[in-house]
Amino acid sequence: MVKIQKGKFAALEKLSDMNGVIAALAIDQRGSLKKMIGAAKKTDATAEELVNFKKLVSQELTPYASSILLDPEFGLPAGRSRDENCGLITSYEKTGYDVNAPGRLPDLLPNWSVKRIKEEDSNAVKILVYYDKDDSEQINDVKKAFVERVGSECKAEDIPFFLEIVTYDEKKADKAEYARVKPEKVIEAVKVFSEKRYGVDVLKLEVPVDMSRVEGIGDNKPVYSAEQAKEYFRRVEEAAQVPYIWLSAGVSAELFQKTLIFAHEAGSKFNGVLCGRATWREGVAAYGEGGEQGAIEWLRSQGKKNIDELNAVLAKTATPWYEVYGGKGQITVD
């Protein structure tokens, strides 16, 4: 039997679809999204435009998503505009990291807390941590303490804690070179942050391989055979002791859907997705060129099509989050 706090259990149900799968939309990007809008407009984007685009995505697409990930800096109006049946996950970390300091150390938004996030009708808290198992023990210990701190805060407020892990290696700038070492970095990070001391309720993970470099799948020169790639997915499944969902990492909608099918065939019992740019990226161009009406037209047509197709793939490939614990019958709500 596994004990889950009452508030956390109710929130995880709210964040999932009727099948217990987390079919979440992500649009907590800040600086990068502002640059995308500016590039589409061919002039600097304003904070107001950033807020407005998030709001449009939320209004138009949350009727088809089980939850949405937003930031509290520019995403509050979007959160309030979401469909009533759609759960809300809120980012707690500052965007990016200090490029002048070693280790890509994380930091929290200074005027926010888990309590304040919960007061904004959020159903979960998310932080992103860049993690390299091969970094110095000193740097990784700072990150571990950081995650412990947020985990304790979420436990005190009885709200789910989503941890997003993005791996890296400062010494391997070449993408093909990094692709070779990425699997072990992802797997080790999953092992570490599955430990109970961190209080993580859901891991938000990048897939353990560069799918564009899998033989027979991607367009780039292969780094892994299909069987090697499947083995890495199986090892993530073995390492994860809590529910986990895949992030889209900016790949195309088509490649992300292929990835989910591949993961399922490999034996990954993942519990959903947090899909961002793969769903709405082209809508930025529509917004830049056609304003609010252009974005609405795109979101109602291609945007909806992207999310409907993703949901259809999830229905065939994803596993309910509570199956990690052997089913709801093995969970004690306390």
Side-chain angles (χ1 to χ4, degrees):
M1 297 292 289
V2 174
K3 280 188 178 181
I4 298 181
Q5 290 172 268
K6 186 177 180 181
K8 287 193 177 203
F9 183 85
L12 287 168
E13 292 279 80
K14 173 70 175 178
L15 295 164
S16 308
D17 65 16
M18 60 186 294
N19 299 314
V21 170
I22 300 168
L25 177 65
I27 186 162
D28 65 327
Q29 291 83 350
R30 286 154 265 185
S32 61
L33 179 54
K34 194 174 180 183
K35 287 178 184 176
M36 289 171 70
I37 295 171
K41 288 180 57 196
K42 297 182 174 58
T43 183
D44 288 343
T46 65
E48 185 180 1
E49 287 170 325
L50 181 58
V51 170
N52 190 45
F53 183 73
K54 288 173 181 278
K55 187 176 177 181
L56 292 174
V57 170
S58 181
Q59 284 176 179
E60 299 300 328
L61 297 184
T62 54
Y64 318 108
S66 72
S67 41
I68 184 170
L69 170 64
L70 290 160
D71 60 284
E73 295 174 285
F74 303 99
L76 291 180
R80 294 168 189 147
S81 302
R82 74 187 189 278
D83 186 84
E84 63 180 2
N85 296 314
C86 181
L88 175 61
I89 307 164
T90 302
S91 292
Y92 186 18
E93 81 281 353
K94 286 182 181 178
T95 188
Y97 53 87
D98 185 352
V99 295
N100 297 312
R104 303 191 185 187
L105 296 176
D107 200 3
L108 298 175
L109 293 168
N111 58 333
W112 284 91
S113 64
V114 170
K115 182 181 285 293
R116 293 183 180 193
I117 287 172
K118 190 174 181 180
E119 287 172 346
E120 287 291 338
D121 195 30
S122 186
N123 307 107
V125 171
K126 187 245 19 171
I127 62 166
L128 182 155
V129 172
Y130 292 93
Y131 191 79
D132 177 8
K133 72 180 182 68
D134 300 309
D135 242 331
S136 72
E137 187 177 341
Q138 182 182 10
I139 284 172
N140 283 341
D141 200 44
V142 169
K143 294 178 182 180
K144 289 173 181 177
F146 179 81
V147 176
E148 289 168 0
R149 195 174 302 125
V150 177
S152 294
E153 210 179 338
C154 289
K155 182 179 180 181
E157 293 298 330
D158 196 6
I159 188 171
F161 175 22
F162 282 55
L163 174 63
E164 176 178 0
I165 303 170
V166 174
T167 59
Y168 68 98
D169 190 322
E170 301 288 15
K171 298 173 185 174
K172 298 192 183 327
D174 179 76
K175 289 184 179 180
E177 196 178 330
Y178 179 67
R180 292 184 177 89
V181 300
K182 178 183 178 182
E184 297 298 338
K185 291 181 185 288
V186 172
I187 292 161
E188 181 59 27
V190 172
K191 287 179 182 176
V192 169
F193 293 107
S194 283
E195 293 176 19
K196 287 184 179 180
R197 68 177 295 119
Y198 298 103
V200 175
D201 296 290
V202 178
L203 285 167
K204 180 188 176 191
L205 304 174
E206 55 189 347
V207 297
V209 297
D210 180 341
M211 290 297 294
S212 73
R213 300 175 194 277
V214 177
E215 191 174 21
I217 301 286
D219 299 325
N220 290 318
K221 184 178 178 181
V223 168
Y224 340 83
S225 68
E227 190 48 48
Q228 284 174 323
K230 286 181 177 179
E231 178 60 20
Y232 290 131
F233 276 99
R234 286 191 284 269
R235 288 178 60 195
V236 168
E237 173 65 27
E238 290 170 7
Q241 302 302 308
V242 297
Y244 68 96
I245 58 179
W246 300 123
L247 60 93
S248 59
V251 302
S252 68
E254 182 184 7
L255 180 56
F256 190 51
Q257 290 166 27
K258 281 184 181 178
T259 300
L260 299 181
I261 293 167
F262 187 89
H264 173 69
E265 290 174 349
S268 167
K269 296 178 181 177
F270 64 94
N271 309 112
V273 297
L274 251 168
C275 184
R277 287 165 289 175
T279 298
W280 50 256
R281 176 169 36 196
E282 294 169 33
V284 177
Y287 183 62
E289 295 166 12
E292 188 171 310
Q293 192 55 42
I296 289 172
E297 289 174 7
W298 187 90
L299 290 165
R300 288 180 179 175
S301 53
Q302 188 61 47
K304 182 179 182 298
K305 182 173 182 286
N306 286 348
I307 206 165
D308 282 344
E309 288 176 350
L310 178 60
N311 285 341
V313 172
L314 284 174
K316 296 177 182 177
T317 59
T319 304
W321 67 267
Y322 40 80
E323 289 301 328
V324 174
Y325 306 115
K328 286 185 180 179
Q330 297 301 308
I331 298 172
T332 301
V333 179
D334 188 5

PDB file of all heavy atoms in Angstrom, residues 101-128:
ATOM      1  N   ALA A 101      27.618  31.584 -14.300  1.00  0.00           N
ATOM      2  CA  ALA A 101      27.933  30.738 -13.147  1.00  0.00           C
ATOM      3  C   ALA A 101      27.953  29.279 -13.590  1.00  0.00           C
ATOM      4  O   ALA A 101      27.158  28.875 -14.441  1.00  0.00           O
ATOM      5  CB  ALA A 101      26.889  30.940 -12.048  1.00  0.00           C
ATOM      6  N   PRO A 102      28.855  28.473 -13.036  1.00  0.00           N
ATOM      7  CA  PRO A 102      28.920  27.063 -13.435  1.00  0.00           C
ATOM      8  C   PRO A 102      27.747  26.264 -12.885  1.00  0.00           C
ATOM      9  O   PRO A 102      27.194  26.582 -11.828  1.00  0.00           O
ATOM     10  CB  PRO A 102      30.234  26.583 -12.821  1.00  0.00           C
ATOM     11  CG  PRO A 102      30.443  27.480 -11.637  1.00  0.00           C
ATOM     12  CD  PRO A 102      29.882  28.815 -12.038  1.00  0.00           C
ATOM     13  N   GLY A 103      27.336  25.234 -13.620  1.00  0.00           N
ATOM     14  CA  GLY A 103      26.384  24.270 -13.088  1.00  0.00           C
ATOM     15  C   GLY A 103      24.912  24.502 -13.367  1.00  0.00           C
ATOM     16  O   GLY A 103      24.073  23.730 -12.914  1.00  0.00           O
ATOM     17  N   ARG A 104      24.575  25.573 -14.097  1.00  0.00           N
ATOM     18  CA  ARG A 104      23.155  25.817 -14.430  1.00  0.00           C
ATOM     19  C   ARG A 104      22.257  25.720 -13.196  1.00  0.00           C
ATOM     20  O   ARG A 104      21.257  24.986 -13.176  1.00  0.00           O
ATOM     21  CB  ARG A 104      22.658  24.844 -15.506  1.00  0.00           C
ATOM     22  CG  ARG A 104      23.465  24.867 -16.789  1.00  0.00           C
ATOM     23  CD  ARG A 104      22.781  24.089 -17.898  1.00  0.00           C
ATOM     24  NE  ARG A 104      23.605  24.020 -19.099  1.00  0.00           N
ATOM     25  CZ  ARG A 104      23.205  23.527 -20.259  1.00  0.00           C
ATOM     26  NH1 ARG A 104      21.991  23.026 -20.384  1.00  0.00           N
ATOM     27  NH2 ARG A 104      24.006  23.507 -21.309  1.00  0.00           N
ATOM     28  N   LEU A 105      22.619  26.441 -12.163  1.00  0.00           N
ATOM     29  CA  LEU A 105      21.907  26.345 -10.893  1.00  0.00           C
ATOM     30  C   LEU A 105      20.499  26.941 -10.987  1.00  0.00           C
ATOM     31  O   LEU A 105      20.303  27.997 -11.586  1.00  0.00           O
ATOM     32  CB  LEU A 105      22.698  27.054  -9.794  1.00  0.00           C
ATOM     33  CG  LEU A 105      24.062  26.437  -9.465  1.00  0.00           C
ATOM     34  CD1 LEU A 105      24.786  27.282  -8.430  1.00  0.00           C
ATOM     35  CD2 LEU A 105      23.910  25.002  -8.971  1.00  0.00           C
ATOM     36  N   PRO A 106      19.516  26.279 -10.376  1.00  0.00           N
ATOM     37  CA  PRO A 106      18.134  26.762 -10.427  1.00  0.00           C
ATOM     38  C   PRO A 106      17.875  27.839  -9.377  1.00  0.00           C
ATOM     39  O   PRO A 106      18.616  27.984  -8.402  1.00  0.00           O
ATOM     40  CB  PRO A 106      17.317  25.504 -10.110  1.00  0.00           C
ATOM     41  CG  PRO A 106      18.215  24.717  -9.196  1.00  0.00           C
ATOM     42  CD  PRO A 106      19.620  24.990  -9.664  1.00  0.00           C
ATOM     43  N   ASP A 107      16.794  28.588  -9.585  1.00  0.00           N
ATOM     44  CA  ASP A 107      16.372  29.588  -8.615  1.00  0.00           C
ATOM     45  C   ASP A 107      14.853  29.733  -8.698  1.00  0.00           C
ATOM     46  O   ASP A 107      14.253  29.477  -9.749  1.00  0.00           O
ATOM     47  CB  ASP A 107      17.046  30.936  -8.901  1.00  0.00           C
ATOM     48  CG  ASP A 107      17.036  31.863  -7.691  1.00  0.00           C
ATOM     49  OD1 ASP A 107      16.559  31.438  -6.620  1.00  0.00           O
ATOM     50  OD2 ASP A 107      17.504  33.005  -7.829  1.00  0.00           O
ATOM     51  N   LEU A 108      14.244  30.140  -7.587  1.00  0.00           N
ATOM     52  CA  LEU A 108      12.790  30.296  -7.538  1.00  0.00           C
ATOM     53  C   LEU A 108      12.396  31.751  -7.776  1.00  0.00           C
ATOM     54  O   LEU A 108      13.179  32.670  -7.525  1.00  0.00           O
ATOM     55  CB  LEU A 108      12.260  29.843  -6.175  1.00  0.00           C
ATOM     56  CG  LEU A 108      12.499  28.375  -5.806  1.00  0.00           C
ATOM     57  CD1 LEU A 108      12.025  28.106  -4.383  1.00  0.00           C
ATOM     58  CD2 LEU A 108      11.789  27.444  -6.784  1.00  0.00           C
ATOM     59  N   LEU A 109      11.171  31.948  -8.242  1.00  0.00           N
ATOM     60  CA  LEU A 109      10.642  33.303  -8.387  1.00  0.00           C
ATOM     61  C   LEU A 109      10.544  33.921  -6.989  1.00  0.00           C
ATOM     62  O   LEU A 109       9.912  33.349  -6.093  1.00  0.00           O
ATOM     63  CB  LEU A 109       9.263  33.256  -9.044  1.00  0.00           C
ATOM     64  CG  LEU A 109       9.253  32.785 -10.498  1.00  0.00           C
ATOM     65  CD1 LEU A 109       7.827  32.487 -10.957  1.00  0.00           C
ATOM     66  CD2 LEU A 109       9.896  33.829 -11.410  1.00  0.00           C
ATOM     67  N   PRO A 110      11.161  35.078  -6.761  1.00  0.00           N
ATOM     68  CA  PRO A 110      11.299  35.595  -5.397  1.00  0.00           C
ATOM     69  C   PRO A 110       9.999  36.012  -4.723  1.00  0.00           C
ATOM     70  O   PRO A 110       9.901  35.985  -3.491  1.00  0.00           O
ATOM     71  CB  PRO A 110      12.236  36.797  -5.580  1.00  0.00           C
ATOM     72  CG  PRO A 110      12.066  37.195  -7.008  1.00  0.00           C
ATOM     73  CD  PRO A 110      11.824  35.927  -7.752  1.00  0.00           C
ATOM     74  N   ASN A 111       9.002  36.400  -5.505  1.00  0.00           N
ATOM     75  CA  ASN A 111       7.754  36.855  -4.882  1.00  0.00           C
ATOM     76  C   ASN A 111       6.632  35.824  -4.993  1.00  0.00           C
ATOM     77  O   ASN A 111       5.448  36.158  -4.936  1.00  0.00           O
ATOM     78  CB  ASN A 111       7.305  38.187  -5.499  1.00  0.00           C
ATOM     79  CG  ASN A 111       7.103  38.090  -7.002  1.00  0.00           C
ATOM     80  OD1 ASN A 111       7.734  37.263  -7.648  1.00  0.00           O
ATOM     81  ND2 ASN A 111       6.247  38.922  -7.558  1.00  0.00           N
ATOM     82  N   TRP A 112       7.045  34.550  -5.150  1.00  0.00           N
ATOM     83  CA  TRP A 112       6.062  33.462  -5.182  1.00  0.00           C
ATOM     84  C   TRP A 112       6.446  32.386  -4.178  1.00  0.00           C
ATOM     85  O   TRP A 112       7.607  32.255  -3.804  1.00  0.00           O
ATOM     86  CB  TRP A 112       5.935  32.860  -6.596  1.00  0.00           C
ATOM     87  CG  TRP A 112       5.151  33.763  -7.479  1.00  0.00           C
ATOM     88  CD1 TRP A 112       5.643  34.758  -8.293  1.00  0.00           C
ATOM     89  CD2 TRP A 112       3.732  33.819  -7.607  1.00  0.00           C
ATOM     90  NE1 TRP A 112       4.608  35.418  -8.913  1.00  0.00           N
ATOM     91  CE2 TRP A 112       3.420  34.859  -8.512  1.00  0.00           C
ATOM     92  CE3 TRP A 112       2.683  33.084  -7.046  1.00  0.00           C
ATOM     93  CZ2 TRP A 112       2.111  35.186  -8.864  1.00  0.00           C
ATOM     94  CZ3 TRP A 112       1.376  33.397  -7.392  1.00  0.00           C
ATOM     95  CH2 TRP A 112       1.104  34.442  -8.289  1.00  0.00           C
ATOM     96  N   SER A 113       5.456  31.630  -3.755  1.00  0.00           N
ATOM     97  CA  SER A 113       5.655  30.494  -2.855  1.00  0.00           C
ATOM     98  C   SER A 113       4.644  29.439  -3.263  1.00  0.00           C
ATOM     99  O   SER A 113       3.700  29.721  -4.033  1.00  0.00           O
ATOM    100  CB  SER A 113       5.419  30.910  -1.400  1.00  0.00           C
ATOM    101  OG  SER A 113       4.060  31.297  -1.209  1.00  0.00           O
ATOM    102  N   VAL A 114       4.798  28.219  -2.762  1.00  0.00           N
ATOM    103  CA  VAL A 114       3.812  27.180  -3.050  1.00  0.00           C
ATOM    104  C   VAL A 114       2.440  27.603  -2.521  1.00  0.00           C
ATOM    105  O   VAL A 114       1.415  27.392  -3.171  1.00  0.00           O
ATOM    106  CB  VAL A 114       4.252  25.828  -2.456  1.00  0.00           C
ATOM    107  CG1 VAL A 114       3.126  24.802  -2.547  1.00  0.00           C
ATOM    108  CG2 VAL A 114       5.493  25.313  -3.185  1.00  0.00           C
ATOM    109  N   LYS A 115       2.436  28.240  -1.365  1.00  0.00           N
ATOM    110  CA  LYS A 115       1.160  28.712  -0.797  1.00  0.00           C
ATOM    111  C   LYS A 115       0.473  29.693  -1.756  1.00  0.00           C
ATOM    112  O   LYS A 115      -0.724  29.593  -2.027  1.00  0.00           O
ATOM    113  CB  LYS A 115       1.392  29.379   0.558  1.00  0.00           C
ATOM    114  CG  LYS A 115       0.111  29.864   1.229  1.00  0.00           C
ATOM    115  CD  LYS A 115       0.397  30.536   2.558  1.00  0.00           C
ATOM    116  CE  LYS A 115       0.741  29.541   3.640  1.00  0.00           C
ATOM    117  NZ  LYS A 115      -0.412  28.680   4.017  1.00  0.00           N
ATOM    118  N   ARG A 116       1.223  30.642  -2.285  1.00  0.00           N
ATOM    119  CA  ARG A 116       0.658  31.643  -3.201  1.00  0.00           C
ATOM    120  C   ARG A 116       0.195  31.007  -4.510  1.00  0.00           C
ATOM    121  O   ARG A 116      -0.836  31.396  -5.065  1.00  0.00           O
ATOM    122  CB  ARG A 116       1.674  32.755  -3.460  1.00  0.00           C
ATOM    123  CG  ARG A 116       1.956  33.603  -2.230  1.00  0.00           C
ATOM    124  CD  ARG A 116       2.903  34.742  -2.540  1.00  0.00           C
ATOM    125  NE  ARG A 116       3.150  35.533  -1.329  1.00  0.00           N
ATOM    126  CZ  ARG A 116       3.734  36.729  -1.323  1.00  0.00           C
ATOM    127  NH1 ARG A 116       4.154  37.270  -2.463  1.00  0.00           N
ATOM    128  NH2 ARG A 116       3.926  37.362  -0.183  1.00  0.00           N
ATOM    129  N   ILE A 117       0.969  30.041  -4.994  1.00  0.00           N
ATOM    130  CA  ILE A 117       0.579  29.340  -6.220  1.00  0.00           C
ATOM    131  C   ILE A 117      -0.743  28.604  -6.001  1.00  0.00           C
ATOM    132  O   ILE A 117      -1.653  28.650  -6.835  1.00  0.00           O
ATOM    133  CB  ILE A 117       1.696  28.376  -6.661  1.00  0.00           C
ATOM    134  CG1 ILE A 117       2.867  29.180  -7.245  1.00  0.00           C
ATOM    135  CG2 ILE A 117       1.179  27.353  -7.675  1.00  0.00           C
ATOM    136  CD1 ILE A 117       4.107  28.358  -7.527  1.00  0.00           C
ATOM    137  N   LYS A 118      -0.869  27.937  -4.864  1.00  0.00           N
ATOM    138  CA  LYS A 118      -2.104  27.217  -4.548  1.00  0.00           C
ATOM    139  C   LYS A 118      -3.290  28.178  -4.427  1.00  0.00           C
ATOM    140  O   LYS A 118      -4.415  27.856  -4.843  1.00  0.00           O
ATOM    141  CB  LYS A 118      -1.927  26.426  -3.253  1.00  0.00           C
ATOM    142  CG  LYS A 118      -3.072  25.450  -2.965  1.00  0.00           C
ATOM    143  CD  LYS A 118      -2.769  24.599  -1.744  1.00  0.00           C
ATOM    144  CE  LYS A 118      -3.906  23.622  -1.475  1.00  0.00           C
ATOM    145  NZ  LYS A 118      -3.637  22.784  -0.279  1.00  0.00           N
ATOM    146  N   GLU A 119      -3.046  29.361  -3.899  1.00  0.00           N
ATOM    147  CA  GLU A 119      -4.105  30.366  -3.763  1.00  0.00           C
ATOM    148  C   GLU A 119      -4.604  30.878  -5.107  1.00  0.00           C
ATOM    149  O   GLU A 119      -5.689  31.452  -5.193  1.00  0.00           O
ATOM    150  CB  GLU A 119      -3.602  31.531  -2.908  1.00  0.00           C
ATOM    151  CG  GLU A 119      -3.489  31.194  -1.430  1.00  0.00           C
ATOM    152  CD  GLU A 119      -2.811  32.274  -0.607  1.00  0.00           C
ATOM    153  OE1 GLU A 119      -2.184  33.190  -1.196  1.00  0.00           O
ATOM    154  OE2 GLU A 119      -2.899  32.203   0.635  1.00  0.00           O
ATOM    155  N   GLU A 120      -3.812  30.660  -6.167  1.00  0.00           N
ATOM    156  CA  GLU A 120      -4.230  31.049  -7.525  1.00  0.00           C
ATOM    157  C   GLU A 120      -4.994  29.919  -8.214  1.00  0.00           C
ATOM    158  O   GLU A 120      -5.066  29.866  -9.437  1.00  0.00           O
ATOM    159  CB  GLU A 120      -3.014  31.457  -8.357  1.00  0.00           C
ATOM    160  CG  GLU A 120      -2.422  32.803  -7.968  1.00  0.00           C
ATOM    161  CD  GLU A 120      -3.330  33.977  -8.307  1.00  0.00           C
ATOM    162  OE1 GLU A 120      -4.206  33.830  -9.187  1.00  0.00           O
ATOM    163  OE2 GLU A 120      -3.157  35.037  -7.683  1.00  0.00           O
ATOM    164  N   ASP A 121      -5.527  28.997  -7.431  1.00  0.00           N
ATOM    165  CA  ASP A 121      -6.352  27.896  -7.936  1.00  0.00           C
ATOM    166  C   ASP A 121      -5.542  26.906  -8.768  1.00  0.00           C
ATOM    167  O   ASP A 121      -6.061  26.264  -9.683  1.00  0.00           O
ATOM    168  CB  ASP A 121      -7.533  28.447  -8.762  1.00  0.00           C
ATOM    169  CG  ASP A 121      -8.616  27.409  -9.007  1.00  0.00           C
ATOM    170  OD1 ASP A 121      -8.778  26.511  -8.151  1.00  0.00           O
ATOM    171  OD2 ASP A 121      -9.286  27.476 -10.062  1.00  0.00           O
ATOM    172  N   SER A 122      -4.249  26.792  -8.450  1.00  0.00           N
ATOM    173  CA  SER A 122      -3.406  25.815  -9.150  1.00  0.00           C
ATOM    174  C   SER A 122      -3.534  24.456  -8.486  1.00  0.00           C
ATOM    175  O   SER A 122      -3.707  24.349  -7.276  1.00  0.00           O
ATOM    176  CB  SER A 122      -1.948  26.265  -9.140  1.00  0.00           C
ATOM    177  OG  SER A 122      -1.151  25.396  -9.924  1.00  0.00           O
ATOM    178  N   ASN A 123      -3.438  23.409  -9.306  1.00  0.00           N
ATOM    179  CA  ASN A 123      -3.560  22.031  -8.814  1.00  0.00           C
ATOM    180  C   ASN A 123      -2.221  21.343  -8.641  1.00  0.00           C
ATOM    181  O   ASN A 123      -2.166  20.218  -8.140  1.00  0.00           O
ATOM    182  CB  ASN A 123      -4.424  21.213  -9.777  1.00  0.00           C
ATOM    183  CG  ASN A 123      -5.760  21.856 -10.049  1.00  0.00           C
ATOM    184  OD1 ASN A 123      -5.988  22.381 -11.130  1.00  0.00           O
ATOM    185  ND2 ASN A 123      -6.644  21.860  -9.062  1.00  0.00           N
ATOM    186  N   ALA A 124      -1.136  21.980  -9.071  1.00  0.00           N
ATOM    187  CA  ALA A 124       0.201  21.385  -8.929  1.00  0.00           C
ATOM    188  C   ALA A 124       1.260  22.456  -9.112  1.00  0.00           C
ATOM    189  O   ALA A 124       1.017  23.501  -9.720  1.00  0.00           O
ATOM    190  CB  ALA A 124       0.410  20.258  -9.936  1.00  0.00           C
ATOM    191  N   VAL A 125       2.450  22.159  -8.588  1.00  0.00           N
ATOM    192  CA  VAL A 125       3.609  23.044  -8.697  1.00  0.00           C
ATOM    193  C   VAL A 125       4.676  22.327  -9.506  1.00  0.00           C
ATOM    194  O   VAL A 125       4.923  21.134  -9.305  1.00  0.00           O
ATOM    195  CB  VAL A 125       4.158  23.386  -7.293  1.00  0.00           C
ATOM    196  CG1 VAL A 125       5.493  24.117  -7.385  1.00  0.00           C
ATOM    197  CG2 VAL A 125       3.136  24.200  -6.514  1.00  0.00           C
ATOM    198  N   LYS A 126       5.312  23.075 -10.429  1.00  0.00           N
ATOM    199  CA  LYS A 126       6.373  22.477 -11.239  1.00  0.00           C
ATOM    200  C   LYS A 126       7.655  23.288 -11.125  1.00  0.00           C
ATOM    201  O   LYS A 126       7.615  24.514 -11.109  1.00  0.00           O
ATOM    202  CB  LYS A 126       5.955  22.433 -12.715  1.00  0.00           C
ATOM    203  CG  LYS A 126       6.934  21.673 -13.607  1.00  0.00           C
ATOM    204  CD  LYS A 126       7.702  22.384 -14.682  1.00  0.00           C
ATOM    205  CE  LYS A 126       7.908  23.808 -14.733  1.00  0.00           C
ATOM    206  NZ  LYS A 126       8.862  24.277 -15.772  1.00  0.00           N
ATOM    207  N   ILE A 127       8.774  22.595 -11.000  1.00  0.00           N
ATOM    208  CA  ILE A 127      10.067  23.270 -11.155  1.00  0.00           C
ATOM    209  C   ILE A 127      10.904  22.510 -12.178  1.00  0.00           C
ATOM    210  O   ILE A 127      10.739  21.312 -12.370  1.00  0.00           O
ATOM    211  CB  ILE A 127      10.856  23.405  -9.834  1.00  0.00           C
ATOM    212  CG1 ILE A 127      11.204  22.027  -9.245  1.00  0.00           C
ATOM    213  CG2 ILE A 127      10.125  24.269  -8.828  1.00  0.00           C
ATOM    214  CD1 ILE A 127      12.256  22.092  -8.150  1.00  0.00           C
ATOM    215  N   LEU A 128      11.794  23.233 -12.839  1.00  0.00           N
ATOM    216  CA  LEU A 128      12.731  22.640 -13.794  1.00  0.00           C
ATOM    217  C   LEU A 128      14.123  22.675 -13.194  1.00  0.00           C
ATOM    218  O   LEU A 128      14.553  23.701 -12.664  1.00  0.00           O
ATOM    219  CB  LEU A 128      12.707  23.416 -15.115  1.00  0.00           C
ATOM    220  CG  LEU A 128      13.604  22.895 -16.256  1.00  0.00           C
ATOM    221  CD1 LEU A 128      13.028  23.332 -17.609  1.00  0.00           C
ATOM    222  CD2 LEU A 128      15.044  23.412 -16.157  1.00  0.00           C
TER     223      LEU A 128
END
